[in-house]
Amino acid sequence: MRKLLNTLYVTTPESYLTREGENVIVRVENEERFRIPIHNLEGIVCFGYMGASPHLMRLCSDNNVGLSFLTPSGKFLARVNGRVRGNVLLRRTQYRRADCCDASLEIAKSFIIGKIVNCRTVLGRGARDHGAVIDCDRVRTVDALLIENLLKIEGCDSADTLRGIEGNCAKFYFITLDELILKQKDDFYLIERNRRPPLDNMNALLSFLYTLLAHDVESALETVGLDPYVGFFHTDRPGRASLALDMMEELRPFLADRLALNLVNMKQVSAGDFLKKENGGVILTENGRKAVIGAWQKRKQDTITHPYLNEKISIGLLPYVQAMLMARFLRGDIDGYPPYFMN
Amino acid sequence: MMVLVTYDVNTETPEGKKRLRRVAKECVNYGQRVQNSVFECLVDPARFAKLKHDLCDIIDEDKDSLRFYYLGKNWKNRVEHFGAKEGYDPEGLLVA
């Protein structure tokens, strides 16, 4: 398996990225602050409004390093795409499948099955580890509901029905996630999931983590030669990376939701790391962002055994592995797309 | 793997000075400068073979010397730092 490389996060406002030889250089007011050889990197994520030289963009594109620009609050702005590469036959197969309703429904089902199963695992683990302090009955009721929906997926015959099932599950899952917030309950709670903008601390934290995950999934899909913009569950919309969103469904509970819960329960973030704006939206402060990014990067280094490949990989490689499996499935090397089930 | 690259290039002649600059430039492309002629390079074996080849091409074997220390995968517990100019950990959190 490929080695997971590092991601460079640029958080200082007014910094400018340039290239020197094979190095990425971060400059602030024309003074060099940081340099690193490109071959150590997997991606570069810039927060805040700053620039990068075209020369550097070329370096990134030549080395397959994802370069994304985000607003200070973590909202996705743009990503730099190099030449279209990868296998055109693979992409064509992907488009054909996406155009065919039945075929995309089958793939969409895999994503949602993965999602619901992982949601159940997250809730189940919470109930097992903290059974004494949380309302287990509530978790159990929702769990039963998730199972019920899970069984419905098999026989569901339209994309809209599937969307309905997904929406239902997500709604109940998020409000139950509130039970698993054990510490700092006054500052962190989940009454419902809201976004654009997120209206409370927990929602802001989740949104921020999802943006980080989206960057990784999109890069992974591009690495294996798939088009991140053509999805099977999410429909095409200009500027929306639908396939990346599809693939995130199954990875979110494991990679983002659990991490968010840990951050709050271990008190690695606190109310002071969030800022309420005039429009009611909540964003992370610079310190809060650093804490979350730190935890995210650390989490990616942990290793797991991938249940399908039966191979040890670092968690950060999960999006890449799933993208690879998707490519194999589209090529016809395997019979179905195996979603990732956390254990 | 982590490789420590150190060099001594004889700079008595203008050609020597030129070689020194070229060696340094090549090393910067692959790793992090931790001291004046000391570089820490986190590289895969293929990339390292390339680096070694390039550097050996540049130096004059009668006058200069080049040393590689292989620190392997668990290099972190083999390195201790004191004093100023602490470098970054290429496998750790990179925030600029």
Side-chain angles (χ1 to χ4, degrees):
Chain A
M1 184 53 64
R2 194 173 73 108
K3 192 178 179 313
L4 173 70
L5 300 173
N6 216 330
T7 309
L8 169 65
Y9 293 93
V10 186
T11 56
T12 322
E14 275 98 53
S15 44
Y16 188 72
L17 302 173
T18 53
R19 167 186 191 173
E20 199 182 291
E22 298 294 305
N23 282 240
V24 177
I25 295 175
V26 181
R27 286 179 195 280
V28 179
E29 285 161 3
N30 267 329
E31 181 202 328
E32 181 184 319
R33 283 285 174 87
F34 189 77
R35 72 157 65 213
I36 186 165
I38 190 86
H39 68 256
N40 291 132
L41 295 180
E42 181 103 36
I44 303 177
V45 183
C46 304
F47 295 91
Y49 305 101
M50 55 189 101
S53 72
H55 221 53
L56 173 95
M57 293 180 190
R58 166 157 193 201
L59 181 70
C60 289
S61 127
D62 285 349
N63 286 281
N64 264 331
V65 171
L67 174 60
S68 294
F69 295 93
L70 274 56
T71 68
S73 55
K75 192 173 153 256
F76 179 81
L77 280 181
R79 97 183 250 112
V80 177
N81 283 324
R83 258 168 269 129
V84 176
R85 58 175 84 233
N87 188 337
V88 62
L89 300 176
L90 175 67
R91 271 202 304 278
R92 257 193 195 285
T93 320
Q94 182 191 349
Y95 298 153
R96 280 198 201 105
R97 291 283 170 102
D99 280 339
C100 167
C101 289
D102 290 343
S104 13
L105 185 63
E106 277 314 303
I107 305 174
K109 278 183 189 173
S110 311
F111 289 132
I112 303 307
I113 290 174
K115 174 180 178 150
I116 300 178
V117 169
N118 287 337
C119 286
R120 281 194 60 211
T121 315
V122 168
L123 294 181
R125 257 204 216 176
R128 185 192 71 196
D129 295 348
H130 310 287
V133 278
I134 65 170
D135 182 355
C136 281
D137 284 339
R138 198 172 145 200
V139 175
R140 239 173 267 135
T141 331
V142 172
D143 193 52
L145 208 126
L146 292 181
I147 296 178
E148 194 186 307
N149 279 296
L150 202 54
L151 294 173
K152 272 195 227 153
I153 293 183
E154 186 66 50
C156 125
D157 51 7
S158 83
D160 282 335
T161 328
L162 188 62
R163 259 183 273 279
I165 292 175
E166 193 265 338
N168 259 336
C169 290
K171 195 172 130 208
F172 286 109
Y173 165 71
F174 276 120
I175 52 171
T176 325
L177 217 49
D178 185 56
E179 284 292 330
L180 305 188
I181 301 174
L182 306 169
K183 303 274 164 63
Q184 315 188 71
K185 280 225 128 167
D186 294 336
D187 299 318
F188 294 92
Y189 44 82
L190 259 177
I191 298 167
E192 54 161 4
R193 170 87 183 114
N194 48 45
R195 63 219 173 93
R196 287 181 214 168
L199 299 175
D200 56 68
N201 296 348
M202 198 63 193
N203 272 299
L205 182 57
L206 286 173
S207 289
F208 186 73
L209 284 168
Y210 291 162
T211 322
L212 295 181
L213 179 60
H215 167 91
D216 286 4
V217 175
E218 227 183 294
S219 300
L221 289 167
E222 250 160 36
T223 312
V224 300
L226 289 166
D227 185 339
Y229 290 84
V230 177
F232 302 107
F233 179 63
H234 291 82
T235 45
D236 294 359
R237 194 189 289 169
R240 177 164 87 173
S242 301
L243 185 58
L245 294 176
D246 284 357
M247 193 156 277
M248 274 174 70
E249 295 291 351
E250 56 178 275
L251 299 175
R252 274 178 195 193
F254 179 56
L255 292 177
D257 301 350
R258 271 189 60 89
L259 185 63
L261 288 174
N262 275 342
L263 280 166
V264 173
N265 289 341
M266 314 274 272
K267 296 194 176 162
Q268 280 170 306
V269 291
S270 60
D273 292 325
F274 295 84
L275 205 70
K276 198 155 185 106
K277 295 199 296 186
E278 299 85 8
N279 64 355
V282 176
I283 59 167
L284 278 152
T285 63
E286 193 166 332
N287 272 334
R289 256 189 347 244
K290 275 196 182 140
V292 177
I293 292 173
W296 171 253
Q297 280 301 94
K298 200 158 163 286
R299 180 82 181 116
K300 285 207 287 192
Q301 313 278 333
D302 294 347
T303 47
I304 47 158
T305 308
H306 192 279
Y308 184 80
L309 297 179
N310 213 356
E311 201 176 324
K312 269 201 177 149
I313 58 162
S314 26
I315 287 178
L317 274 183
L318 251 183
Y320 174 78
V321 169
Q322 291 307 118
M324 198 181 66
L325 290 171
M326 174 55 80
R328 281 191 195 167
F329 164 62
L330 291 176
R331 286 198 180 101
D333 296 343
I334 47 180
D335 292 336
Y337 166 74
Y340 171 73
F341 296 123
M342 60 189 280
N343 42 19
Chain B
M1 63 176 169
M2 181 64 93
V3 182
L4 191 75
V5 184
T6 69
Y7 53 78
D8 227 344
V9 178
N10 187 310
T11 54
E12 277 164 5
T13 59
E15 291 79 54
K17 285 187 179 140
K18 196 172 167 190
R19 285 201 305 278
L20 177 73
R21 278 197 299 272
R22 285 181 63 200
V23 171
K25 210 169 176 180
E26 204 54 47
C27 289
V28 174
N29 277 342
Y30 288 88
Q32 159 182 211
R33 185 172 224 144
V34 281
Q35 277 166 3
N36 281 337
S37 21
V38 182
F39 284 82
E40 281 178 10
C41 305
L42 186 70
V43 282
D44 52 43
R47 209 175 290 273
F48 177 64
K50 170 105 171 46
L51 171 65
K52 193 156 83 175
H53 179 259
D54 289 350
L55 289 179
C56 290
D57 261 5
I58 298 170
I59 61 160
D60 177 345
E61 291 198 11
D62 297 330
K63 296 180 185 145
D64 312 333
S65 78
L66 196 55
R67 286 178 90 85
F68 298 110
Y69 299 84
Y70 304 97
L71 297 175
K73 229 176 166 182
N74 295 320
W75 56 276
K76 267 174 218 157
N77 30 25
R78 302 206 172 101
V79 180
E80 244 185 305
H81 180 96
F82 299 98
K85 245 184 91 182
E86 192 167 0
Y88 61 88
D89 165 9
E91 288 175 315
L93 177 62
L94 298 178
V95 180

